[in-house]
Amino acid sequence: MGLVPREDGGGGMGPEAGHSHPLCLPASALVSPGGGELPQDLLRPGSWGASTRSAPLGPPLPTAMGLELYLDLISQPCRAVYLFAKANRIPFEVKPIELLQGQHLTDDFAKVNSVKRVPVLKDGDFTLAESVAILHYLSQKYKTPAHWDPSDLQAKARVLGPLIDIHVPKEKVDRNIAFMNRSLQHLEQKFLKDKPFLTGDQISLADLLALEELMQPVSCGFDVFEGRPKLAVWRKRVEATLGEKLCQETREPLFKLCADPSAYKDIPSAMQERMKLRMSMIP
């Protein structure tokens, strides 16, 4: 089971930057307004496929002028942002950043985000980092359905609760199975209970971010849904709402790298040393 230190700027649920978590292969593509096929010249081995058409959840939103998302789909927060934008038919352009190649550490990327983490949103002259902030921004600007990001204060607190309270383990999965199981039990009993989604009858940002965190250990061979039928049904419900094909294609780079360790061979030596250093800091 290969683990790579997390190099993203994940907000909300899950390990923060500076902790470790399994990450896998980067990907790149240009997303056309409302979905559609990816240009063939942007596809490369390990990318997320030739089509990322999302489920038709409504009419296309107005074209974004200069909306860019700096992403690497091996990152949980990046996948959450990508899935949210696609599911809500928000047109944007992906600016691929390959974490395992250390592209986020370059001087060029520092001009985009001085803390050198992804995801990052650029909307004209406006730049925003941190996945939760980006999701709130997209929700408000494009007036997505209220269940994603409620305006009511108490409803919003119910959405944010799972993002703050539940943490996928920061240590290596194989050393923290007991901690993982306690977290899953907490998620199931405190937040999901008997509801269709974490905060109620409709999907929200909490479901999106939580699921992508849980898919990270799944990609490395630890099926967190096995023996937990309630969570398994919740996962299927979230994926059906987002679009099963979109979810599969978005996670394809992650699963491909975890299935083929030889993909690590092209990681620059400086990045490998950085990864080893951060891994050595795990208790």
Side-chain angles (χ1 to χ4, degrees):
M1 182 184 299
L3 299 179
V4 180
R6 181 166 178 170
E7 293 283 353
D8 52 45
M13 177 175 169
E16 297 297 327
H19 295 123
S20 292
H21 203 279
L23 293 179
C24 297
L25 183 66
S28 63
L30 186 67
V31 183
S32 60
E37 292 194 352
L38 303 175
Q40 293 301 310
D41 60 340
L42 291 180
L43 296 176
R44 67 175 187 275
S47 70
W48 56 78
S51 174
T52 56
R53 188 174 300 279
S54 60
L57 299 184
L61 294 167
T63 300
M65 296 302 293
L67 181 62
E68 300 172 342
L69 296 175
Y70 292 75
L71 306 171
D72 188 334
L73 294 189
I74 67 171
S75 157
Q76 308 95 298
C78 287
R79 292 198 306 274
V81 169
Y82 178 84
L83 285 167
F84 178 77
K86 289 290 291 180
N88 286 284
R89 307 193 71 181
I90 297 172
F92 62 95
E93 180 181 351
V94 167
K95 295 292 187 179
I97 299 297
E98 298 193 24
L99 296 177
L100 296 185
Q101 295 298 315
Q103 291 181 357
H104 58 304
L105 303 175
T106 64
D107 291 339
D108 284 343
F109 186 69
K111 296 174 184 177
V112 177
N113 182 11
S114 60
V115 298
K116 300 182 178 181
R117 296 190 181 119
V118 292
V120 178
L121 172 150
K122 279 184 65 71
D123 192 1
D125 294 331
F126 177 70
T127 301
L128 184 63
E130 295 295 335
S131 57
V132 174
I134 291 171
L135 289 166
H136 286 314
Y137 177 84
L138 293 175
S139 178
Q140 294 299 311
K141 175 167 182 175
Y142 293 97
K143 298 181 174 22
T144 59
H147 59 79
W148 284 106
D149 187 17
S151 57
D152 176 76
L153 184 59
Q154 292 187 5
K156 185 181 289 289
R158 286 193 292 271
V159 169
L160 293 177
L163 308 184
I164 296 169
D165 251 1
I166 303 295
H167 295 276
V168 173
K170 300 178 179 68
E171 297 81 13
K172 297 178 183 179
V173 174
D174 57 352
R175 293 183 181 176
N176 289 271
I177 293 178
F179 183 85
M180 173 76 82
N181 286 333
R182 288 196 299 272
S183 296
L184 292 170
Q185 184 176 3
H186 191 57
L187 178 65
E188 198 171 36
Q189 294 180 355
K190 182 174 180 179
F191 292 106
L192 185 58
K193 298 180 180 178
D194 295 320
K195 302 188 299 293
F197 298 99
L198 290 177
T199 63
D201 293 332
Q202 293 180 296
I203 193 171
S204 72
L205 299 180
D207 298 283
L208 180 58
L209 287 161
L211 180 57
E212 288 314 302
E213 287 289 348
L214 295 180
M215 291 307 298
Q216 210 75 1
V218 169
S219 71
C220 293
F222 184 74
D223 188 352
V224 299
F225 301 100
E226 185 177 354
R228 296 185 178 275
K230 184 181 292 187
L231 279 182
V233 170
W234 165 76
R235 170 191 172 182
K236 293 295 184 184
R237 188 178 294 120
V238 172
E239 291 176 339
T241 302
L242 294 169
E244 293 181 4
K245 184 178 180 181
L246 173 61
C247 291
Q248 181 180 1
E249 291 172 342
T250 302
R251 297 170 189 149
E252 184 178 346
L254 179 70
F255 280 85
K256 278 191 173 181
L257 181 59
C258 291
D260 181 15
S262 65
Y264 288 97
K265 68 180 183 300
D266 295 326
I267 299 176
S269 58
M271 192 62 190
Q272 291 184 31
E273 292 304 313
R274 177 184 173 89
M275 291 159 56
K276 290 177 182 177
L277 175 62
R278 297 184 66 172
M279 291 291 282
S280 69
M281 298 170 63
I282 300 173

